[in-house]
Amino acid sequence: MSESALRLVWVYPDLLSTYGDRGNVLVVERRARQRGLDVARIDVRSDQPVPTSGDIYLIGGGEDRPQRLAGERLRADPGLHRAVENGAIVLGVCAGYQIMGHEFIDDRGQRTPGLGLLDVWSTRGEGVRNVGDILAEPDPRLGLPTLTGFENHQGITHLGQGVSPLARVTVGGGNGTGDGTEGAWRDTVFGTYLHGPILARNPAVADLLIKLALDVSALPPADNTWYDALRAERIAAVQLPVQ
Ligand code: GLN
C-alpha cells in the first residue's frame, strides 16, 4: 500500500454495523479504486484505538445498547476528535450520527453524552418509530442529487446553530422534529438517518467524501449503471401509493 493511499477508517464494525452500513465502506473503497486511487482500509474494533491519521471515517448505525457502548468508548478515546481537528472527513449514520452530537438517550432511558463533534442533540421520540423509505432534497451547497435511503430510529435529533440540515425530507421522518430537516453537517462532519446503505443508494455522497478528502472539486467519471437502477427502483417504490 502506497504512502499516499486514501486512508478509510471504519469505526467499530463490531458494535455499529447493524443496518448494512458495511456497504458504505465497500462503496467508498470501490468508487476510489475506480478513479485509480489506492485505498488503505482500517477497520477499528471497539477495543482498539481510533487512529488519528485517517482521511475518511465511517460510523454506522446500531441498536440502543451497542450505541451506548460505542459512545462510552469513543468518548474515552481522543482519536476521532484529533482526526477531525486534522481535517478528516466523517460520516455518521443514525446511531453514529446521534453519538456525534452532544447527547442521546441510551438503552436505559438515560441522557448520555456524545462526542460534541456536531451541534445536535437527540431525544427519544414519543410517537411511533420512524421506519421506512425516505427521500430528501440535499443542501444545495453540497451539489448532490435527491437522496434516497431507509430510516429506522426512535431517536429525534435537534439541530443547534453550529450545523446546517443535510437535507429536507419529501418522504419520511428524517430528524423527526417535524420541521422537515434530515441529518446535519458542518465543514467535513456529516450525520444522517439514511441507511440503505446511504452510499450505495447515493454514490454522489461517496464521491463528495472522496473529493473533500483529496481537496479536489471533481473526480473522473465512474460507472453509475447499478446505482442508478437501484435509485430509480427505490424512488418509484416510494412514490407508489400505499396499497
Ligand atoms: N438506537 C437509535 C434509535 O433508535 C439508532 C438506531 C439506528 O442506528 N438505526 O434512535
Side-chain angles (χ1 to χ4, degrees), residues 92-95 97-98 122-123 134 149-157 166 173-176 182-183 191-195:
V93 177
C94 204
Y97 170 35
Q98 294 180 6
S122 299
T123 54
I134 180 165
F150 186 86
E151 61 182 335
N152 182 351
H153 56 105
Q154 189 66 42
I156 287 182
T157 299
L166 184 70
N175 288 322
E182 148 48 34
T192 179
Y193 273 112
L194 272 63
H195 295 286

Side-chain angles (χ1 to χ4, degrees), residues 220-242:
D223 181 10
N224 283 335
T225 309
W226 288 102
Y227 300 100
D228 287 346
L230 175 62
R231 289 173 61 76
E233 181 208 290
R234 293 322 306 161
I235 290 172
V238 172
Q239 288 171 343
L240 282 176
V242 177

Side-chain angles (χ1 to χ4, degrees), residues 5-240:
L6 185 77
R7 286 153 302 177
L8 172 62
V9 181
W10 184 13
V11 177
Y12 294 178
D14 53 330
L15 292 177
L16 298 174
S17 64
T18 311
Y19 298 94
D21 296 301
R22 177 170 180 269
N24 289 331
V25 184
L26 299 178
V27 171
V28 175
E29 273 190 299
R30 182 162 173 77
R31 303 285 293 181
R33 292 205 168 114
Q34 282 178 314
R35 273 58 175 260
L37 297 165
D38 213 356
V39 179
R41 172 169 149 197
I42 306 153
D43 293 358
V44 183
R45 291 178 55 89
S46 57
D47 58 356
Q48 296 174 324
V50 176
T52 58
S53 61
D55 296 304
I56 299 176
Y57 292 72
L58 298 176
I59 315 175
E63 289 159 356
D64 291 356
R65 185 164 182 278
Q67 176 175 348
R68 167 168 58 88
L69 297 176
E72 285 169 358
R73 285 166 204 196
L74 284 172
R75 272 204 322 282
D77 179 343
L80 195 58
H81 267 284
R82 295 219 176 113
V84 171
E85 282 162 19
N86 293 341
I89 321 304
V90 186
L91 174 68
V93 177
C94 204
Y97 170 35
Q98 294 180 6
I99 287 171
M100 290 201 295
H102 300 300
E103 66 176 38
F104 60 88
I105 306 298
D106 71 13
D107 56 312
R108 300 164 304 191
Q110 310 277 321
R111 290 167 58 182
T112 303
L115 303 176
L117 289 170
L118 281 174
D119 183 18
V120 304
W121 66 99
S122 299
T123 54
R124 179 159 290 178
E126 298 299 326
V128 291
R129 207 174 161 84
N130 281 291
V131 182
D133 269 286
I134 180 165
L135 290 181
E137 292 307 320
D139 185 328
R141 290 173 293 171
L142 296 170
L144 296 167
T146 300
L147 300 178
T148 100
F150 186 86
E151 61 182 335
N152 182 351
H153 56 105
Q154 189 66 42
I156 287 182
T157 299
H158 310 264
L159 274 48
Q161 297 291 321
V163 290
S164 301
L166 184 70
R168 300 210 167 254
V169 289
T170 52
V171 176
N175 288 322
T177 46
D179 64 359
T181 63
E182 148 48 34
W185 72 287
R186 179 188 59 84
D187 299 331
T188 60
V189 182
F190 300 85
T192 179
Y193 273 112
L194 272 63
H195 295 286
I198 179 173
L199 302 185
R201 288 207 191 186
N202 307 278
V205 180
D207 289 354
L208 173 66
L209 303 181
I210 295 168
K211 283 189 280 189
L212 288 170
L214 300 178
D215 198 16
V216 296
S217 57
L219 293 172
D223 181 10
N224 283 335
T225 309
W226 288 102
Y227 300 100
D228 287 346
L230 175 62
R231 289 173 61 76
E233 181 208 290
R234 293 322 306 161
I235 290 172
V238 172
Q239 288 171 343
L240 282 176

